[in-house]
Amino acid sequence: MFRIRKIPDNLFPMNRFVLEQVQEILISRFSSLREDQVRAIPEQLHNPLKYGFRSILFVAENIRGRVRGFAMLMHAPDKNFCFLEYIAARHEATPSGIGSALYERCREEAMMLKTHGIFMESLPDAPELCPEPGILTQNKARLKFWERFGVRPVINTLYETPVKAGETCPPYLLIDTLGRETPISRDYGKNVCEAILRRKYGGYCPEDYIQKVVHSFRDDPVQLRPFRYLRKPGLAKPAAQSRQKKPVVLIFNDNHAIHHVRERGYVESPVRIKAILKAFEGSSMVKRIPAMSFPEKFIRQVHASDLVDYLKAACQATPEGKSVYPYVFPIRNPNRKPKDLGLLAGYYCIDTFTPIHRNVWNAARSATECALTGADQLLGGHPYAYALVRPPGHHAETKVYGGFCYLNSAAIAVQYLSHYARVALLDIDYHHGNGHQEIFYKRKDVLTVSIHGNPSDTFPYFCGFRNEKGEGEGLGYNHNFPLAPDTCPEDYRKVLAEALHRVEKFKPGFLVVSFGLDTAKGDPTGSFSFSSGDFKKAGSMIGSLGLPLLIVQEGGYLTRSMGGNAFGFIQGIYETIA
């Protein structure tokens, strides 16, 4: 199993690890490459002016970051074409379909960029150009592979003329028109050919050679070689159709239902998820997928080990059907922790209404896996994912839990993504995400932004004020927007616009939204008055940033309107993101 991920740079640990593997594959698969060409790969990603192309690197990797293959696509925006620089898989046995999957992703990118096509080179299958039988067989296999995508060599030009006398196996120039019926014109073909020869081979090809090849384009439109390896042309895979909007990936886990506190007035109940799922029944806007399993280490990267160990032990020790509420809150001195698990509830919990029972750990752990699955979907190139989780998580801090929250699913997903790019975390629950703030307060690679009811009279009361801006390296990377209880939707959207401006200025690779439905009119825990239309407008504003987006469910407790409000929000995002 593998995912395909775009690598923007080498600034983050996982990207550096991946680029080292790409260079390793390059050396093993392209023995003729010079050492300086291999070393140049990272620079190509962030220095387009030097190389004349904007380089786009895709890797096929497993969940541990092991690269199975890669493709590098070069985009020339001034000429409106792409050039496939490399596509390769590891020598050892790999899952079938890696090359095809990588190339399909390249085609998708080229269509998104609205280019006229993808150009590439492939060694010739003509014996007079390539006399070595073994190499000739390999060349034929490659050209057969390309014909599956409708990609064929340009004919009636001098492109495959050797630069120097005596050279063998000069490459063909191939074109993928991405499914367009209209072939490219002669003038455009000449422009592309000249750009390739000058930008890629300017130091090797003499000027008279470049001019000779460019002016050999005489057919108008440019002609492609007939299919040679498919039994009949009708078997050729048509190049990609116009890019269709992908559904929002929705991840939820039935394991949430085991977390059910039956005490009167406990509003964080399984019916919340049921109400939202019902609203999406029959809709093609979402695609439900199961949550994957992730190691516990991802939880411990965010939460202190003693908190994690306590939650596991306390849940296991609590009798079936019983709940343990904190009732004594000792001064938090790590050298004076009580030994009794019941008393420890007060040591680790920030309130009196978040109980421990036998199923809390399993439900909270499942919620984190839903959020991590959504994050993994973004890494695989999906534009958006919705982790429909409970219990919620944004009040859980590094060392404490509370506010119905035990493990901070959104923060765990952010930490996971932060190994690959900068991440913005936007909290639009009615209550301040104190957990988000505390976890990332001293970091500059994660921007935390929260819009919420004023903590002077709203839970969690003791944080979420405007003057809390971050600390140390994180100073200036935490922003709070506390609002009055009677804030109307129009005023809220003005604040949301300011918050999104800060997100945009941060230039993150990913945006994670802690999504609360408790801003709805009539919610028992909030005082705003949002309708489904207001949620849709908020979704449109967030989607307009065009960032890879993970939505993680937080609060919201008015079940009669919850489904419609969630549907409106996701619809706003879906209709906005291309």
Side-chain angles (χ1 to χ4, degrees), residues 531-547:
S531 66
S532 60
D534 295 317
F535 281 101
K536 183 177 179 180
K537 289 175 183 177
S540 296
M541 292 174 69
I542 292 168
S544 68
L545 294 183
L547 292 167

Side-chain angles (χ1 to χ4, degrees), residues 197-232:
L197 293 178
R198 290 195 186 282
R199 298 177 192 187
K200 278 185 54 62
Y201 305 111
Y204 180 72
C205 294
E207 180 62 26
D208 60 341
Y209 175 88
I210 293 175
Q211 292 300 322
K212 178 177 70 174
V213 173
V214 169
H215 290 296
S216 70
F217 280 71
R218 295 190 176 91
D219 293 331
D220 195 10
V222 172
Q223 297 297 302
L224 302 183
R225 191 174 79 177
F227 288 97
R228 179 172 293 181
Y229 297 104
L230 295 175
R231 292 183 181 177
K232 41 178 136 172

Side-chain angles (χ1 to χ4, degrees), residues 314-393:
C315 292
Q316 188 174 8
T318 304
E320 191 72 42
K322 299 291 184 182
S323 295
V324 175
Y325 290 85
Y327 63 96
V328 176
F329 295 87
I331 296 174
R332 287 184 170 82
N333 184 334
N335 298 318
R336 294 290 185 270
K337 284 196 292 187
K339 295 180 180 179
D340 182 86
L341 288 175
L343 290 174
L344 273 174
Y347 184 87
Y348 288 109
C349 189
I350 62 174
D351 57 43
T352 60
F353 52 83
T354 306
I356 291 291
H357 61 77
R358 194 167 190 83
N359 295 321
V360 157
W361 169 256
N362 289 333
R365 169 77 185 272
S366 295
T368 67
E369 292 185 331
C370 288
L372 286 167
T373 300
D376 203 63
Q377 288 289 308
L378 300 193
L379 291 176
H382 210 87
Y384 30 43
Y386 181 16
L388 182 53
V389 307
R390 65 171 293 276

Side-chain angles (χ1 to χ4, degrees), residues 34 37 40 44 47-55 74-83 85-86 115 119 121 159 188 190-207 209-210 214:
R34 302 187 309 272
Q37 291 176 294
Q44 286 181 266
N47 194 351
L49 292 177
K50 179 177 178 180
Y51 294 91
F53 291 99
R54 184 175 71 87
S55 301
M74 318 292 278
H75 178 217
D78 58 327
K79 304 292 184 181
N80 202 24
F81 76 93
C82 285
F83 184 86
E85 177 83 328
Y86 302 112
T115 64
F119 293 74
E121 293 178 334
Y159 194 91
Y188 184 70
K190 291 169 70 173
N191 285 334
V192 170
C193 176
E194 185 172 10
I196 293 170
L197 293 178
R198 290 195 186 282
R199 298 177 192 187
K200 278 185 54 62
Y201 305 111
Y204 180 72
C205 294
E207 180 62 26
Y209 175 88
I210 293 175
V214 169

Side-chain angles (χ1 to χ4, degrees), residues 144-172:
K144 182 179 180 180
F145 171 82
W146 290 125
E147 282 194 8
R148 290 168 47 202
F149 298 94
V151 183
R152 290 170 288 154
V154 174
I155 58 174
N156 305 329
T157 77
L158 298 177
Y159 194 91
E160 59 270 21
T161 302
V163 177
K164 297 177 181 178
E167 289 181 332
T168 59
C169 286
Y172 291 146

Side-chain angles (χ1 to χ4, degrees), residues 29-30 87 120-125 130 134-149 151 174 225 229:
R29 301 308 301 267
F30 299 94
I87 186 165
M120 66 193 76
E121 293 178 334
S122 188
L123 297 182
D125 55 357
C130 187
I135 296 176
L136 192 66
T137 300
Q138 295 174 15
N139 296 350
K140 289 178 179 180
R142 291 192 190 98
L143 288 163
K144 182 179 180 180
F145 171 82
W146 290 125
E147 282 194 8
R148 290 168 47 202
F149 298 94
V151 183
L174 280 61
R225 191 174 79 177
Y229 297 104

Side-chain angles (χ1 to χ4, degrees), residues 17-273:
F17 175 55
V18 161
L19 280 167
E20 289 170 1
Q21 295 180 74
V22 166
Q23 291 170 315
E24 174 192 327
I25 296 171
L26 267 177
I27 292 169
S28 66
R29 301 308 301 267
F30 299 94
S31 57
S32 61
L33 282 179
R34 302 187 309 272
E35 186 179 340
D36 62 307
Q37 291 176 294
V38 176
R39 288 201 312 268
I41 295 294
E43 187 184 20
Q44 286 181 266
L45 294 178
H46 58 78
N47 194 351
L49 292 177
K50 179 177 178 180
Y51 294 91
F53 291 99
R54 184 175 71 87
S55 301
I56 305 166
L57 178 64
F58 297 106
V59 297
E61 62 180 0
N62 63 22
I63 198 169
R64 293 182 295 277
R66 172 75 168 171
V67 176
R68 316 302 294 175
F70 77 95
M72 179 172 275
L73 194 67
M74 318 292 278
H75 178 217
D78 58 327
K79 304 292 184 181
N80 202 24
F81 76 93
C82 285
F83 184 86
L84 185 66
E85 177 83 328
Y86 302 112
I87 186 165
R90 285 189 181 274
H91 266 305
E92 65 263 28
T94 57
S96 62
I98 282 182
S100 297
L102 281 165
Y103 187 62
E104 284 289 5
R105 182 65 184 87
C106 290
R107 300 172 94 197
E108 184 180 69
E109 188 77 9
M111 285 195 299
M112 185 181 70
L113 294 168
K114 299 182 179 178
T115 64
H116 291 306
I118 300 176
F119 293 74
M120 66 193 76
E121 293 178 334
S122 188
L123 297 182
D125 55 357
E128 62 271 22
L129 294 175
C130 187
E132 181 70 38
I135 296 176
L136 192 66
T137 300
Q138 295 174 15
N139 296 350
K140 289 178 179 180
R142 291 192 190 98
L143 288 163
K144 182 179 180 180
F145 171 82
W146 290 125
E147 282 194 8
R148 290 168 47 202
F149 298 94
V151 183
R152 290 170 288 154
V154 174
I155 58 174
N156 305 329
T157 77
L158 298 177
Y159 194 91
E160 59 270 21
T161 302
V163 177
K164 297 177 181 178
E167 289 181 332
T168 59
C169 286
Y172 291 146
L173 179 65
L174 280 61
I175 302 178
D176 183 348
T177 60
L178 302 174
R180 294 182 179 87
E181 295 293 333
T182 307
I184 66 170
S185 69
R186 177 184 59 200
D187 289 344
Y188 184 70
K190 291 169 70 173
N191 285 334
V192 170
C193 176
E194 185 172 10
I196 293 170
L197 293 178
R198 290 195 186 282
R199 298 177 192 187
K200 278 185 54 62
Y201 305 111
Y204 180 72
C205 294
E207 180 62 26
D208 60 341
Y209 175 88
I210 293 175
Q211 292 300 322
K212 178 177 70 174
V213 173
V214 169
H215 290 296
S216 70
F217 280 71
R218 295 190 176 91
D219 293 331
D220 195 10
V222 172
Q223 297 297 302
L224 302 183
R225 191 174 79 177
F227 288 97
R228 179 172 293 181
Y229 297 104
L230 295 175
R231 292 183 181 177
K232 41 178 136 172
L235 291 178
K237 216 179 194 183
Q241 304 297 317
S242 58
R243 181 184 172 103
Q244 294 183 348
K245 192 176 289 258
K246 294 182 178 180
V248 178
V249 172
L250 188 152
I251 313 105
F252 93 103
N253 194 321
D254 281 325
N255 219 24
H256 81 90
I258 64 175
H259 173 52
H260 193 181
V261 181
R262 301 180 185 277
E263 280 90 334
R264 184 181 179 89
Y266 196 85
V267 295
E268 209 293 283
S269 63
V271 71
R272 300 175 59 236
I273 303 299

